[in-house]
């Protein structure tokens, strides 16, 4: 089951996060994140900074200073569209996991 973020207005640029702290062992931190987005054809596409997929763009991607939260900054999006994003995380022990999250584009 996918997580769900609050709705986003297409005119906003906002940051959205996934907190991995409950998944990570004590003293373990995120070493790498790779974001993906499902495009209009259902294809899972890597979503790097500066990319736009089906009207949704990412302007920045960060890992928190404590190394447990992955964030992505999103802009644009098409009204009425549901996007599924995937965060692939690798920790400093080379353990990797992926979580999906859904966001809807709605006028605010």
């Amino acid at each position: 089951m996918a997580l769900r973020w609050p709705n986003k207005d297409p005119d906003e640029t906002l940051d959205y996060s996934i907190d991995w702290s409950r998944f990570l062992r004590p003293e373990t931190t995120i070493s790498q994140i790779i974001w993906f987005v499902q495009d209009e054809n259902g294809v899972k596409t890597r979503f790097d900074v500066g990319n736009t997929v089906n009207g949704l763009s990412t302007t920045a991607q960060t890992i928190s200073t404590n190394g447990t939260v992955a964030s992505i900054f999103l802009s644009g999006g098409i009204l009425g569209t549901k996007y599924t994003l995937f965060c692939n995380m690798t920790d400093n022990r080379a353990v990797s996991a992926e979580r999906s999250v859904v966001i809807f584009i709605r006028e605010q």
Side-chain angles (χ1 to χ4, degrees):
M1 180 169 101
L3 303 170
R4 182 160 181 226
W5 283 326
N7 294 340
K8 180 193 166 308
D9 187 285
D11 297 325
E12 298 173 325
T13 298
L14 298 171
D15 61 316
Y16 295 89
S17 301
I18 295 178
D19 184 346
W20 289 92
S21 61
R22 286 195 261 165
F23 175 83
L24 297 167
R25 287 185 169 182
E27 301 180 24
T28 303
T29 58
I30 299 169
S31 61
Q32 179 184 24
I33 55 170
I34 301 173
W35 289 91
F36 297 87
V37 64
Q38 201 167 40
D39 71 14
E40 62 272 18
N41 298 315
V43 176
K44 187 174 161 183
T45 304
R46 187 166 171 156
F47 202 34
D48 293 319
V49 173
N51 287 111
T52 299
V53 176
N54 196 25
L56 186 68
S57 300
T58 176
T59 59
Q61 299 174 10
T62 63
I63 299 171
S64 64
T65 55
N66 69 356
T68 63
V69 178
S71 297
I72 187 168
F73 289 72
L74 300 173
S75 66
I78 299 170
L79 277 175
T81 301
K82 174 181 92 169
Y83 295 90
T84 302
L85 285 90
F86 302 86
C87 181
N88 183 292
M89 178 280 308
T90 303
D91 71 17
N92 58 353
R93 299 175 300 133
V95 172
S96 63
E98 184 174 86
R99 298 290 180 266
S100 62
V101 62
V102 172
I103 188 167
F104 291 93
I105 307 301
R106 301 275 190 256
E107 199 70 48
Q108 301 291 326

